[in-house]
Amino acid sequence: MEALLEGYRRFRKAGWPERRLEFERLAESGQRPKAMVVACVDSRVDPAVIFDVAPGQLLTVRNVANLVPPYAPDAAYHGTSAALEFGVQVLGVTDLVVLGHGQCGGVHALLQGAPIIAGDFVGQWMSIAEPARVRAMRCEGVEARQRCCEEEVVKVSLANLLTFPWISERVARGVLRLHGAWFAIRTGELLVLQGDGFFRAVANGP
Ligand SMILES: [Zn+2]
């Protein structure tokens, strides 16, 4: 915690003075992010860093392995679905991104089994991605299977997004676009899911 407070003091000293007006404007007029991202809890995969966005620009929900559960308006506690409802229905985001990544521990748990000490929730949560696990079994080798499964998990999440009636309806009307992406921690490369089902690298520019 002390390291976090040290960071906060640095922010107040260096970041706050130059961003004060920006925060005041956000406080007065409210947030109007146009995009929302479903990302993993992994501490190395920070959407604000990857997409280089300022506060107020990107609504983010993070969970183990960037999973979207199927639409299920029942009495259970649906944190990710609640965030989606807020982003899509209340804020009206126009772009929704599912961001997968390399070396994902959640996907590793799906393929190899959750660690015994994370047995209460992780295994059950990852069962959402069972179709991705089955498809990844076609890949040979541990590394290729992990990578394949990380990409398939993004596709499962995108398919599940369409089970939400207010998402599929907006997609059909063309006012909401869904995107899949995968981030390589080691190289910083971002791959985007194309219409043909393959992930391709975004050009880095000059
Ligand atoms: Zn992950």
Side-chain angles (χ1 to χ4, degrees), residues 26-38:
L26 284 168
E28 270 165 35
S29 59
Q31 61 167 335
R32 286 193 196 84
K34 290 193 166 61
M36 175 171 187
V37 61
V38 180

Side-chain angles (χ1 to χ4, degrees), residues 113-190:
I116 246 55
I117 48 167
D120 285 351
F121 298 105
V122 171
Q124 171 64 10
W125 172 251
M126 287 308 302
S127 71
I128 295 169
E130 178 60 16
R133 192 192 67 78
V134 170
R135 293 202 286 266
M137 282 302 146
R138 282 182 249 146
C139 294
E140 290 288 338
V142 175
E143 270 183 45
R145 192 170 288 165
Q146 168 84 18
R147 169 67 181 273
C148 174
C149 197
E150 286 161 0
E151 293 188 353
E152 291 299 330
V153 161
V154 171
K155 293 178 186 174
V156 166
S157 286
L158 288 168
N160 284 345
L161 280 173
L162 290 173
T163 65
F164 289 67
W166 26 267
I167 288 181
S168 58
E169 181 267 328
R170 280 166 192 251
V171 169
R173 274 199 292 130
V175 294
L176 176 64
R177 290 170 294 275
L178 307 185
H179 314 271
W182 180 89
F183 178 72
I185 294 169
R186 194 179 301 280
T187 63
E189 256 189 323
L190 184 74

Side-chain angles (χ1 to χ4, degrees), residues 40-42 64-66 101 103-106:
C40 184
V41 288
D42 194 302
V64 172
N66 39 269
H101 72 97
Q103 299 166 289
C104 183

